[in-house]
Structures are given as C-alpha cells and as structure tokens.
C-alpha cells in the first residue's frame, strides 16, 4: 500500500545535534538506534552517522543488531536488552549487557570471548545488577572468559536532578570500588547528558537527542530534525457552525 505520508529527517540538523552533545559533554557518543532508530530507519541513520565518525551504536535486541550488520554497519554495537544467543553475539562482534546475576550463571559455558558491559541498577529498576553484586559479577565474568569492556547504568527521571545526582553517585562508587580498566563507561541518556557533570564516563548515550528532542524543559539548543509530512487530498468548504467527523466534537 502506498501512502503520501512520510517522515522527513534533516540530516544536517541530525549532525548538528550529534556535534552539540559531543562538544557539550566532551565525550564520545554511543548513538542509540533501537526501535528502528525511533522510527527513522535504523540502518540508514547508523550508516550516515558511521560516515560522520560515530563508531558505537546501541540497540535493544539481537535482531536489531543483525539488521545493522546485514546492511554493512561495521562499528561496535551494544545490545541493551536480554540477549538469548551468545553464539550469534560472539560470531558477529557484538556486545551485550549483563542484565542480572542469573544471566551470568545460566550462560557461564557460553561467555568465553563475549564482549560484555556490566549494567548497574542505580534506581531505574529494570535490567541491571545491584551495586552490591558488582564485585562478584566481575570476578565471575573474568573467570568464565568474558571480555569485560564496559560499565554502565541508566538514569530514571530526567527532570529530577537530585535523583539523577544520587544515581550517578551510586554508579561512581561502584566504578571506584571495582577499580577495573573498563574501555567504555557510560551513564547518561539524553536528558541527563544535558545537565549532569559526569566525570568518569568515556561515552554518552544519545537516542531522542539525535533528533533534537528531550523529555525535560531545557534551553539546550537542540534542533528538531523530524517532520511528518502528508499530501492534502481534499479541502471542503463548510458553513459556519457545522460539525466535522465522529461526534461533531469540532465545529
């Protein structure tokens, strides 16, 4: 079915937003292209950003990661959801998060040479291990031969800066206690990246911010890069007071 309705992505504004976050945080970027890049066609966005120097992407599933690989994306890809097949992960040079302690024990025979990011639950309370488990998890991962390359967390409430600061301090305490040479450390998504003073992370993770949007009220000079367009197919002339459509809720 063909419809004359489409989403237009301004790549110049996309590039502007990417550079804005990089210069603002003074960190490298992990571009989040999960859920088909928030509706923007994941592999096309990833290929464009890859050509501009972005070398790390994040998705939610093995299926999303493999779609990028099939379309020629060669950069690092982190699967932020639960990865069920570590053979696919290993064989396609993908990285996975450690979502809970059970994952490590269940997959101990399959973790060898798998690139992993330990996710610390600091208050979002979805995927992620508890801070007090971190030392044991790290030791187990190294024992089972995993390639421990990253440490991460995820902020819960963008507009609550005090809670974000609390989460960051929990994360920093774990980072300090582990004392491990992580190649990648990342905590901030779009909202927190705008205002959080993150002194330990190597990267910032940006999803909606790529397109110029945030969930908080901010003066941060993002440029909206998405426009939904459609063809006007008919104009009807009505008399004053006549109702339109179901229920005549508009007159």
């Amino acid at each position: 079915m063909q419809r004359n309705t489409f989403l237009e992505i301004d790549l110049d504004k996309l590039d502007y937003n990417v550079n804005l976050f990089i210069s603002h945080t003074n960190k490298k970027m992990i571009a989040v292209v999960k859920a088909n890049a928030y509706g923007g066609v994941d592999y096309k966005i990833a290929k464009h950003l890859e050509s501009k120097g972005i070398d790390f992407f994040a998705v939610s599933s093995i299926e999303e990661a493999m779609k990028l690989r099939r379309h020629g994306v060669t950069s690092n890809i982190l699967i932020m959801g639960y990865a069920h097949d570590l053979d696919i992960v290993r064989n396609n040079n993908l990285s996975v998060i450690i979502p809970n302690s059970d994952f490590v024990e269940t997959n101990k025979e399959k973790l060898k040479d798998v690139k992993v990011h330990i996710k610390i639950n600091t208050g979002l309370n979805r995927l992620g291990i508890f801070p007090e488990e971190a030392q044991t998890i790290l030791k187990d991962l190294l024992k089972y031969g995993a390639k421990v390359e990253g440490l991460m967390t995820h902020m819960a409430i963008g507009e609550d800066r005090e809670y974000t600061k609390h989460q960051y301090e929990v994360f920093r305490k774990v980072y300090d206690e582990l004392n491990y040479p992580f190649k990648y450390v990342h905590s901030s998504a779009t909202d927190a990246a705008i205002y959080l003073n993150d002194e330990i992370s190597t990267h910032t993770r940006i999803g909606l911010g790529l397109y110029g949007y945030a969930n908080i009220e901010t003066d941060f000079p993002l440029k909206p890069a998405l426009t939904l367009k459609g063809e006007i197919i008919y104009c009807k002339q009505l008399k004053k007071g006549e109702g339109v459509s179901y229920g005549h809720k508009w007159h």
Side-chain angles (χ1 to χ4, degrees), residues 198-223:
D198 184 346
E199 298 177 338
I200 62 173
S201 291
T202 60
H203 289 65
T204 185
R205 295 190 317 272
I206 305 297
L208 281 177
L210 298 174
Y211 301 109
Y213 302 98
N215 292 309
I216 59 174
E217 293 293 331
T218 177
D219 294 328
F220 195 61
L222 292 166
K223 292 184 178 181

Side-chain angles (χ1 to χ4, degrees), residues 48-68:
H48 171 77
L49 293 178
E50 198 173 43
S51 73
K52 298 295 182 177
I54 300 300
D55 61 2
F56 210 140
F57 299 92
V59 296
S60 64
S61 67
I62 288 178
E63 290 77 13
E64 290 182 348
M66 290 306 299
K67 183 180 177 184
L68 298 187

Side-chain angles (χ1 to χ4, degrees), residues 155-239:
M155 303 308 180
I157 312 172
E159 63 271 19
D160 189 338
R161 300 192 180 199
E162 286 304 311
Y163 192 74
T164 298
K165 183 179 179 181
H166 162 73
Q167 284 191 263
Y168 175 71
E169 291 304 323
V170 172
F171 183 61
R172 181 167 188 160
K173 185 172 186 292
V174 173
Y175 170 81
D176 290 339
E177 290 176 348
L178 290 179
N179 190 30
Y180 182 84
F182 294 102
K183 184 176 181 180
Y184 306 105
V185 179
H186 45 110
S187 67
S188 294
T190 293
D191 295 343
I194 292 174
Y195 63 77
L196 181 65
N197 181 24
D198 184 346
E199 298 177 338
I200 62 173
S201 291
T202 60
H203 289 65
T204 185
R205 295 190 317 272
I206 305 297
L208 281 177
L210 298 174
Y211 301 109
Y213 302 98
N215 292 309
I216 59 174
E217 293 293 331
T218 177
D219 294 328
F220 195 61
L222 292 166
K223 292 184 178 181
L226 302 181
T227 307
L228 186 63
K229 294 186 175 182
E231 178 187 7
I232 297 173
I233 59 171
Y234 184 43
C235 291
K236 181 186 289 291
Q237 298 297 320
L238 300 177
K239 295 178 182 179

Side-chain angles (χ1 to χ4, degrees), residues 11 36 39-40 44 56 150 153 186 192 221 239:
L11 295 179
N36 201 25
K44 290 189 176 182
F56 210 140
T153 191
H186 45 110
K239 295 178 182 179

Side-chain angles (χ1 to χ4, degrees), residues 69-222:
R69 285 286 186 252
R70 286 195 301 272
H71 284 89
V73 176
T74 60
S75 296
N76 299 306
I77 301 175
L78 173 65
I79 299 167
M80 297 194 296
Y82 197 100
H84 294 279
D85 193 328
L86 294 185
D87 289 333
I88 293 177
V89 170
R90 183 189 308 103
N91 294 338
N92 290 278
N93 193 31
L94 305 172
S95 302
V96 297
I97 69 163
I98 299 301
N100 52 51
S101 56
D102 290 343
F103 180 89
V104 178
E105 189 61 26
T106 300
N107 292 283
K108 62 183 179 182
E109 303 297 333
K110 302 177 181 179
L111 279 165
K112 183 174 174 55
D113 294 329
V114 173
K115 297 190 297 184
V116 301
H117 291 226
I118 301 173
K119 184 171 186 178
I120 306 299
N121 176 43
T122 58
L124 186 64
N125 294 321
R126 299 191 314 202
L127 297 181
I129 66 170
F130 293 105
E132 58 269 23
E133 300 176 303
Q135 288 281 7
T136 299
I137 293 293
L138 176 58
K139 290 179 182 178
D140 286 346
L141 288 169
L142 295 174
K143 179 174 65 176
Y144 299 141
K147 294 182 177 179
V148 182
E149 64 176 14
L151 184 72
M152 63 177 289
T153 191
H154 200 154
M155 303 308 180
I157 312 172
E159 63 271 19
D160 189 338
R161 300 192 180 199
E162 286 304 311
Y163 192 74
T164 298
K165 183 179 179 181
H166 162 73
Q167 284 191 263
Y168 175 71
E169 291 304 323
V170 172
F171 183 61
R172 181 167 188 160
K173 185 172 186 292
V174 173
Y175 170 81
D176 290 339
E177 290 176 348
L178 290 179
N179 190 30
Y180 182 84
F182 294 102
K183 184 176 181 180
Y184 306 105
V185 179
H186 45 110
S187 67
S188 294
T190 293
D191 295 343
I194 292 174
Y195 63 77
L196 181 65
N197 181 24
D198 184 346
E199 298 177 338
I200 62 173
S201 291
T202 60
H203 289 65
T204 185
R205 295 190 317 272
I206 305 297
L208 281 177
L210 298 174
Y211 301 109
Y213 302 98
N215 292 309
I216 59 174
E217 293 293 331
T218 177
D219 294 328
F220 195 61
L222 292 166

